[in-house]
Amino acid sequence: MSDKRTFFSTRLGVLAATVGSAVGLGNIWRFPYEAGTHGGGAFLLCYIFFVFLIGVPVICSEFAMGRRSRTGIPGAFQHLNKGRSGWNWIGWIGIAGAVMIISFYSVVAGWTLEYTIDSAVGMFSDHVQHNRHAEFLAFTQGWKPSLWVVVFMGINGLVLLGGVQKGIERVSNILMPLLFLILLAFCINSLLLPGAGEGLRFLFNPDFSQLTPTVILGAMGQAFFSLSLGMGCMITYASYFKDDTPLMKTSIQIATLDTLVAILSGVIIFPAVFSFGMSPAEGPTLVFEVLPNIFQQMSGGRIWSTLFFLLLAVASLTSLISVSEIAIAFFVDHLKMKRHMATLTLTLVGTILGVLCALSFGPLKNLDLFNAFDYISSNILLPLGGMSTSIFAGWVMKRSTLYAELQGKGKLPRAAGEAIVISLRWIAPACVLAVFIAGLMI
Ligand code: PHE
């Protein structure tokens, strides 16, 4: 595991790794369809509220725990609980969440590979009238997505096995800003579409009558998912931070960049949805049906779309690597496996479950593991893990330890430290609990 220590040797490396984990399919694929099915503006507002009120303090606490304990989960909880294992169960929630996320995430990541190839051969730049919904359905119901799961999990495994995180880091240093620029270009393109205003109104004009417990629960789950929180991902990564990494500043940067990418995706998708007469409540297939229509009417659509899906695949890979790392670190630290055996085991289990999720759109429709894993991990396990982590960091972990980590080599304004503790002790647990109870009552 020593190669990972060098992975985080620079300040930029920390940002590339953590933003690489946060920015992924959660922003570009999941956010638009969640917002689309949950009333647009009302969802966005709740989402931003959760990101900054709960998300930032929980990232800070995960960072502080990881750097202080210098171990992943569940070891971090034990270390910070004077060696007692009473809080280790939070780690088990994290591991369960990680396995579920890997399973369905690899399916969607696989779709991006298919779409990269389709783009390159010009399938989104012809002049034929398409029924995107039918085409996408036919693709997802077939055997190809299963094949792409195997390919994507294979690439993921190779990267983790070879320990080439340095390579990935360098690549994502270039590709992440490029993805951002491309998103900006697509935004401008979408805003010029006829009927763009309706899409923008849908996204930015909250209709408060839409604010149901389901919408609030969805927004909270999305905040945890998108920030890679509640499952020890940031704990594991922070265990490789240097002592002078400013934890609060980094947390705020991650939350801001991540939210910005989600909003940009919304600004691309919704004007196009309304302009092409589609429904925003399409569900997980939304982005894959809308984007090809945008590319088709862009000049140079073939190059744009190839580049876009390739970058989306890279963004997915950096996220999938971070989720996989949680499980691999657990196998190595806790089960004392060798790193290559741990990687192999994870790749095997992930591929099998991933294929089962891929088949959820076809032969295994009744089982529908894909949506079950997505829902259980994001809406139950991550908020539960996040709530327990914040209770742990706020009440069990010594306050002086938390402050010392948040302060690092810099200065921690008193008010900021207190605000974080208040959020960890009261606000985050109360919000998650309230949303859960409200969700159970519907
Ligand atoms: N945050 C990632 C995304 O938005 C997904 C993820 C979830 C990664 C949990 C790590 C842990 O795509």
Side-chain angles (χ1 to χ4, degrees), residues 25 108-117 152 288 309 312-313 316:
L25 292 168
V108 186
W111 294 348
T112 65
L113 289 181
E114 166 83 11
Y115 271 58
T116 308
I117 308 273
F152 209 91
F288 290 89
F309 282 116
L312 188 53
S316 317

Side-chain angles (χ1 to χ4, degrees), residues 13-211:
V14 167
L15 211 62
T18 49
V19 173
S21 168
V23 171
L25 292 168
N27 310 62
I28 296 164
W29 159 73
R30 200 174 187 281
F31 173 79
Y33 95 69
E34 279 285 326
T37 44
H38 288 127
F43 179 89
L44 176 64
L45 208 67
C46 287
Y47 173 70
I48 293 176
F49 174 80
F50 285 126
V51 163
F52 288 97
L53 198 76
I54 303 182
V56 170
V58 176
I59 308 180
C60 285
S61 70
E62 289 206 10
F63 277 174
M65 288 175 61
R67 184 162 69 185
R68 176 51 69 110
S69 66
R70 298 248 170 249
T71 172
I73 53 168
F77 290 95
Q78 190 154 338
H79 179 95
L80 296 164
N81 190 26
K82 302 189 192 86
R84 290 191 294 258
S85 59
W87 286 82
N88 284 13
W89 54 269
I90 306 176
W92 306 125
I93 294 181
I95 306 287
V99 172
M100 287 188 191
I101 289 179
I102 291 167
S103 312
F104 75 84
Y105 207 88
S106 59
V107 177
V108 186
W111 294 348
T112 65
L113 289 181
E114 166 83 11
Y115 271 58
T116 308
I117 308 273
D118 286 354
S119 304
V121 299
M123 272 175 62
F124 304 139
S125 43
D126 55 19
H127 298 289
V128 183
Q129 183 76 26
H130 287 269
N131 181 343
R132 301 289 181 198
H133 183 66
E135 286 171 9
F136 188 75
L137 228 57
F139 161 61
T140 49
Q141 285 170 352
W143 54 269
K144 265 182 165 178
S146 303
L147 187 73
W148 286 122
V149 167
V150 178
V151 173
F152 209 91
M153 284 304 294
I155 299 173
N156 186 57
L158 280 179
V159 172
L160 287 160
L161 197 63
V164 290
Q165 280 121 327
K166 257 193 164 167
I168 274 283
E169 181 186 324
R170 259 185 225 131
V171 170
S172 53
N173 277 350
I174 303 166
L175 290 183
M176 284 302 201
L178 200 62
L179 178 71
F180 201 75
L181 285 181
I182 288 218
L183 286 176
L184 272 180
F186 288 168
C187 261
I188 296 168
N189 191 72
S190 267
L191 291 175
L192 295 177
L193 288 171
E198 204 181 336
L200 292 182
R201 259 193 305 283
F202 178 78
L203 183 63
F204 291 117
N205 201 1
D207 168 6
F208 289 105
S209 65
Q210 299 261 4
L211 221 53

Side-chain angles (χ1 to χ4, degrees), residues 18-30 97-98 101 105 222-234 258 315-316 318-324 326 382:
T18 49
V19 173
S21 168
V23 171
L25 292 168
N27 310 62
I28 296 164
W29 159 73
R30 200 174 187 281
I101 289 179
Y105 207 88
Q222 175 62 20
F224 279 102
F225 183 85
S226 194
L227 295 173
S228 310
L229 284 183
M231 57 193 292
C233 188
M234 294 302 178
D258 191 67
S316 317
T318 53
S319 296
L320 193 61
I321 285 171
S322 73
V323 199
S324 308
I326 306 172
L382 298 190

Side-chain angles (χ1 to χ4, degrees), residues 14 115 136 207 240 246 263 294 307 321 379 388-389:
V14 167
Y115 271 58
F136 188 75
D207 168 6
Y240 305 104
I263 292 177
I294 305 184
L307 205 58
I321 285 171
N379 289 0
S388 321
T389 305

Side-chain angles (χ1 to χ4, degrees), residues 175-427:
L175 290 183
M176 284 302 201
L178 200 62
L179 178 71
F180 201 75
L181 285 181
I182 288 218
L183 286 176
L184 272 180
F186 288 168
C187 261
I188 296 168
N189 191 72
S190 267
L191 291 175
L192 295 177
L193 288 171
E198 204 181 336
L200 292 182
R201 259 193 305 283
F202 178 78
L203 183 63
F204 291 117
N205 201 1
D207 168 6
F208 289 105
S209 65
Q210 299 261 4
L211 221 53
T212 61
T214 324
V215 170
I216 300 174
L217 178 64
M220 189 173 72
Q222 175 62 20
F224 279 102
F225 183 85
S226 194
L227 295 173
S228 310
L229 284 183
M231 57 193 292
C233 188
M234 294 302 178
I235 295 180
T236 310
Y237 268 15
S239 67
Y240 305 104
F241 284 4
K242 279 164 116 184
D243 288 340
D244 62 357
T245 301
L247 301 189
M248 249 167 97
K249 196 170 147 199
T250 310
S251 309
I252 293 170
Q253 281 171 335
I254 296 170
T256 309
L257 283 172
D258 191 67
T259 306
L260 212 58
V261 176
I263 292 177
L264 281 183
S265 312
V267 172
I268 294 170
I269 301 295
F270 291 113
V273 165
F274 287 94
S275 178
F276 295 114
M278 302 167 93
S279 157
E282 199 67 58
T285 60
L286 180 73
V287 169
F288 290 89
E289 289 173 20
V290 176
L291 286 175
N293 282 335
I294 305 184
F295 298 136
Q296 198 176 25
Q297 55 78 49
M298 276 173 94
S299 61
R302 187 164 169 176
I303 297 170
W304 282 111
S305 57
T306 312
L307 205 58
F308 176 83
F309 282 116
L310 196 64
L311 291 175
L312 188 53
V314 173
S316 317
L317 186 63
T318 53
S319 296
L320 193 61
I321 285 171
S322 73
V323 199
S324 308
E325 197 56 55
I326 306 172
I328 290 178
F330 162 73
F331 286 150
V332 172
D333 293 345
H334 213 82
L335 304 183
K336 307 285 174 232
M337 274 188 190
K338 289 255 183 293
R339 188 172 172 89
H340 65 269
M341 270 312 285
T343 310
L344 211 67
T345 311
L346 174 95
T347 305
L348 215 67
V349 174
T351 307
I352 294 171
L353 288 173
V355 168
L356 291 179
C357 283
L359 296 175
S360 292
F361 293 84
L364 297 182
K365 209 173 176 54
N366 289 335
L367 191 62
D368 199 4
L369 271 190
F370 181 96
N371 280 312
F373 279 180
D374 183 358
Y375 186 88
I376 296 173
S377 60
S378 311
N379 289 0
I380 300 175
L381 297 182
L382 298 190
L384 204 63
M387 176 176 83
S388 321
T389 305
S390 63
I391 291 175
F392 181 86
W395 295 96
V396 181
M397 188 173 159
K398 274 211 213 112
R399 194 188 283 216
S400 56
T401 310
L402 181 68
Y403 277 173
E405 284 305 325
L406 289 181
Q407 181 156 334
K409 295 251 188 293
K411 255 191 141 164
L412 177 72
R414 210 188 145 78
E418 274 169 11
I420 287 187
V421 171
I422 290 174
S423 176
L424 291 175
R425 284 193 158 193
W426 305 101
I427 301 175

